[in-house]
Amino acid sequence: DQQVKQNSPSLSVQEGRISILNCDYTNSMFDYFLWYKKYPAEGPTFLISISSIKDKNEDGRFTVFLNKSAKHLSLHIVPSQPGDSAVYFCAAGSGNTGKLIFGQGTTLQVKP
Amino acid sequence: EAQVTQNPRYLITVTGKKLTVTCSQNMNHEYMSWYRQDPGLGLRQIYYSMNVEVTDKGDVPEGYKVSRKEKRNFPLILESPSPNQTSLYFCASSLFGRREDTQYFGPGTRLTVL
């Protein structure tokens, strides 16, 4: 049973436009959420996180929104750049064990 | 340079032949973890370690062993590999394993079991 789901395997966006990546979760115990970015032949790298006590966190071009009632989070990239083309994983955690549950990933392609 | 290293990066082996994938970090992190990435399933945690001599099962531990004898190393052992263990493996580490501690990932090891 997939507790964290990214239902869009891929997304294509024009350079300069907004990219919106979505993630749904089922476990109401999750209280910390993260996004990781992965380039081919590299390991994932941390992008941005949000605690369940917030509904928005911003870091430069990247903003994560959390809707707890809908058990949904999204990552907005504005403006999108070709270098943002990568696989994006959302992840969720609870408690303080460092254990993370990852989604399946969404491949973002930003076209010049 | 702060990093997590894994060896080998690529490995093709046959069913039943024991193998070890090494993982090492130079950041003095207490927490280390192994994941496997499979199409349509994302990253799934195999084992993790909160500190030296402390290891625990993740979501998919069957067929794997780990050890944590030193803080910097966290090898993943497949005693008798099977084709369903063909996957892309990532080692990761973080300072204390708290949820706010960033996990740093290694470059990955692509394993094929024939």
Side-chain angles (χ1 to χ4, degrees), chain A residues 22-85:
Chain A
N22 294 302
C23 180
D24 297 297
Y25 62 96
T26 58
N27 190 339
S28 57
M29 297 299 290
F30 289 145
D31 58 3
Y32 200 72
F33 305 89
L34 308 93
W35 286 92
Y36 280 80
K37 180 167 77 171
K38 184 185 177 304
Y39 293 118
E42 294 183 13
T45 56
F46 170 75
L47 190 57
I48 193 169
S49 63
I50 187 168
S51 164
S52 61
I53 62 173
K54 295 185 174 182
D55 54 18
K56 175 182 173 182
N57 189 26
E58 217 171 330
D59 184 2
R61 296 186 296 114
F62 303 92
T63 303
V64 57
F65 295 93
L66 176 62
N67 182 335
K68 289 187 291 293
S69 61
K71 293 191 177 69
H72 176 85
L73 64 153
S74 60
L75 175 69
H76 293 212
I77 307 174
V78 184
S80 302
Q81 299 174 352
D84 296 329
S85 297

Side-chain angles (χ1 to χ4, degrees), chain B residues 3 12 20 29 37-38 44 49 51 55 65 80 82 91:
Chain B
Q3 60 182 348
I12 300 174
T20 298
H29 285 171
Q37 182 190 350
D38 301 291
R44 293 179 295 166
S49 169
N51 211 328
T55 63
K65 281 177 55 177
S80 183
S82 62
C91 180

Side-chain angles (χ1 to χ4, degrees), chain B residues 25-73:
Chain B
Q25 50 91 7
N26 63 1
M27 295 170 278
N28 204 35
H29 285 171
E30 294 194 0
Y31 179 90
M32 297 185 75
S33 179
W34 276 102
Y35 296 88
R36 59 179 288 175
Q37 182 190 350
D38 301 291
L41 296 175
L43 290 154
R44 293 179 295 166
Q45 190 176 48
I46 303 170
Y47 269 95
Y48 66 96
S49 169
M50 298 295 287
N51 211 328
V52 176
E53 302 290 3
V54 179
T55 63
D56 213 340
K57 296 178 181 179
D59 296 314
V60 287
E62 296 79 18
Y64 304 95
K65 281 177 55 177
V66 292
S67 69
R68 187 90 184 275
K69 294 187 177 5
E70 319 164 82
K71 186 181 275 192
R72 65 182 294 124
N73 296 323

Side-chain angles (χ1 to χ4, degrees), chain A residues 14 16 24-25 40 43 48 56 69 80 89 94-95 100 102 106 111:
Chain A
Q14 207 65 36
D24 297 297
Y25 62 96
I48 193 169
K56 175 182 173 182
S69 61
S80 302
F89 291 98
S94 62
L100 296 176
F102 284 81
T106 296
K111 297 179 179 177

